Amino acid sequence: MASRFVKNFVNRNPRNNELMGRQAANTGYQFEKNRASRSYIYKVELVEGKSHREGRLVHYQDGVVISASTKEPSIASQLYSKTDTSAALNIGRVLALRCLQSGIHFAMPGATKEAIEKSQHQTYFFKALQEEGLTLNEPSHLEHSYETDKSFTWKRYPLKPTRQDKLDEL
């Protein structure tokens, strides 16, 4: 019974592969200083304007997926100021709630640790995201191999250094 189900299974949730660790984050930025900020599936960022704050969840292919802003009347009516630290904190809480309701549990912070520590708005924003249950780290992906997929007909061979690699180390 179970084998018939698995043969006919169709994944109707494209984000499920990201949650299960089957999809790898973007690669190819090994030589850049800010490679950690470019290699993500989801990234959370706080955009600070002159008269408002906006929190965004950005997908690496699709762009902005979810956002929360102090421009929204339902949020703006509950705040004293649209630009202070309490606005950043509440935008973080609302954005985390919307992410969890849509099934997104992991995201990378869009700012560096130095920028988060320097700005009080960023600190409160990311602290609110964590307190509401959004994990600010993405799980490592499972490599597609014979151990995870028995339809593979071969096992990967271990990579051994060549003579040129050994000469380069000298």
Side-chain angles (χ1 to χ4, degrees), residues 121-148:
H121 298 272
Q122 298 273 350
T123 304
Y124 280 106
F125 175 72
F126 287 110
K127 188 186 295 185
L129 289 170
Q130 284 182 328
E131 288 174 357
E132 291 296 317
L134 189 70
T135 305
L136 292 179
N137 198 0
E138 290 183 341
S140 59
H141 78 283
L142 300 173
E143 189 170 342
H144 196 196
S145 66
Y146 180 77
E147 285 79 22
T148 58

Side-chain angles (χ1 to χ4, degrees), residues 27-89:
T27 56
Y29 303 104
Q30 293 92 330
F31 300 115
E32 295 190 19
K33 291 181 181 178
N34 61 348
R35 66 179 169 266
S37 66
R38 289 184 173 220
S39 139
Y40 63 89
I41 296 174
Y42 288 109
K43 174 174 71 170
V44 180
E45 57 189 15
L46 178 68
V47 179
E48 300 179 354
K50 289 184 180 178
S51 62
H52 72 281
R53 299 281 181 254
E54 182 180 7
R56 300 179 187 164
L57 181 80
V58 181
H59 188 262
Y60 77 99
Q61 282 181 334
D62 301 333
V64 177
V65 179
I66 300 170
S67 67
S69 174
T70 55
K71 289 181 181 178
E72 298 175 22
S74 58
I75 295 175
S77 66
Q78 301 293 319
L79 297 173
Y80 176 73
S81 172
K82 296 181 184 179
T83 58
D84 62 354
T85 55
S86 70
L89 176 96

Side-chain angles (χ1 to χ4, degrees), residues 5-39:
F5 175 73
V6 173
K7 287 180 185 176
N8 299 328
F9 178 73
V10 176
N11 184 11
R12 294 183 352 195
N13 182 3
R15 307 277 187 241
N16 194 28
N17 289 331
E18 298 161 0
L19 182 62
M20 294 177 68
R22 290 184 182 162
Q23 182 175 0
N26 280 349
T27 56
Y29 303 104
Q30 293 92 330
F31 300 115
E32 295 190 19
K33 291 181 181 178
N34 61 348
R35 66 179 169 266
S37 66
R38 289 184 173 220
S39 139

Side-chain angles (χ1 to χ4, degrees), residues 97 101 106 158:
L97 182 65
Q101 286 177 344
F106 303 99

